[in-house]
Amino acid sequence: MNLDTTIDIDLKKFFRWWGGELAFLLPKALRRQLREYQGRVIFTPTSAGFEVDCFDDDGNRVFHRTMDEGALGQYASLKSQYPLLEHTEVVLRLPAGQALQKTLFLPLAVQQNLQQVVSFELDRYTPFKPDQVYFSAMVVDNTGHGQLSVLLVVVPQHTLDAQLKSLQAVGIKPHRVDYQDVSDDFPQLTDAYNLLPEQYQQKGNKLSQSIHGLLYAVLFLSFLAVLIWPVWMQGQAVDSLKARIKTLEKQN
């Protein structure tokens, strides 16, 4: 290995992985408290309406429903049958054909301003102009040749706006919008992007966010204590042993 080689570490990805691995060791009840949502409900548009799939924290399917647009109002009654729905992440998942995904190869230097760079060149990568679509770009991999493999996902504004308005008309407000083809081809990126336009995004509960931040801070400090305490104890034992040796040497 060349000592001058640059080691590229994605800290966000590392801490996401590290947090997931550490959280797995916690009691299930505490893991639920640390999660922003308890499960997930996915609305997938069809020619007649929506397919609705609900999953619990462990990824188990709770129910599946097929609803035409006129029956979406029944979702409110489902909440009384499944209390889990009050705390789930609501996802609008666009089916194949309603969006476009494309792999780009871009210089490493664009990583810090990826969304802006892609926006400037969007009409070169796709048949659309930036003001015609909603899009998201995410890094898939570092090719090792001074380039990043980037996945670009684009949806026409009129397509997504129509789906969102159909849901909001009956009081359903998605937290996230993703694309089925990405979930199939790049499952590791399913939670790495959100096509939901800013004007449709819900403002988070500041108290809830503060509590979650505090819990994560306590978890992090506890983890550090687990690492540092044994080392400190060993240091104390070594110092005590050295002191006893010096005392014995003086006595002799």
Side-chain angles (χ1 to χ4, degrees), residues 4-203:
D4 294 328
T5 300
T6 300
I7 299 176
D8 183 28
I9 299 176
D10 188 333
L11 290 178
K12 287 184 179 179
K13 186 181 293 185
F14 167 76
F15 281 114
R16 193 182 302 123
W17 166 84
W18 175 80
E21 293 296 310
L22 186 59
F24 180 76
L25 301 176
L26 297 175
K28 189 172 182 178
L30 182 55
R31 291 206 307 271
R32 285 179 176 171
Q33 293 300 318
L34 288 172
R35 290 175 180 168
E36 187 174 0
Y37 305 110
Q38 310 298 320
R40 175 177 298 175
V41 59
I42 301 174
F43 289 82
T44 304
T46 66
S47 58
F50 291 86
E51 297 285 335
V52 185
D53 295 279
C54 180
F55 300 89
D56 64 17
D57 276 345
D58 298 318
N60 302 311
R61 189 193 299 272
V62 178
F63 68 78
H64 170 81
R65 295 284 190 280
T66 299
M67 295 183 174
D68 58 38
E69 290 196 22
L72 277 176
Q74 298 173 3
Y75 184 70
S77 64
L78 278 176
K79 289 185 177 181
S80 60
Q81 185 178 356
Y82 299 99
L84 167 73
L85 292 176
E86 292 290 348
H87 308 287
T88 52
E89 179 188 30
V90 180
V91 178
L92 171 60
R93 176 157 295 168
L94 300 172
Q98 287 199 0
L100 168 71
Q101 72 177 52
K102 184 175 183 179
T103 300
L104 310 175
F105 294 95
L106 303 176
L108 284 172
V110 309
Q111 187 165 7
Q112 297 303 317
N113 300 289
L114 182 59
Q115 305 301 322
Q116 295 92 322
V117 170
V118 171
S119 178
F120 292 145
E121 300 289 334
L122 196 61
D123 57 353
R124 190 163 67 87
Y125 302 138
T126 73
F128 307 105
K129 295 181 180 179
D131 60 356
Q132 296 177 317
V133 298
Y134 302 119
F135 76 94
S136 184
M138 65 215 95
V139 175
V140 178
D141 195 15
N142 184 333
T143 67
H145 302 287
Q147 287 187 318
L148 296 171
S149 173
V150 174
L151 182 65
L152 172 63
V153 187
V154 178
V155 56
Q157 288 186 4
H158 63 85
T159 298
L160 183 52
D161 285 341
Q163 304 293 0
L164 289 169
K165 287 175 181 177
S166 293
L167 293 174
Q168 291 199 341
V170 291
I172 300 170
K173 297 181 180 181
H175 300 98
R176 192 161 58 83
V177 177
D178 62 20
Y179 184 38
Q180 182 64 56
D181 284 6
V182 175
S183 299
D184 292 340
D185 299 338
F186 301 92
Q188 74 278 17
L189 298 177
T190 297
D191 297 325
Y193 70 104
N194 189 356
L195 292 168
L196 185 66
E198 186 176 353
Q199 64 267 29
Y200 291 98
Q201 293 180 12
Q202 302 177 44
K203 294 183 178 180

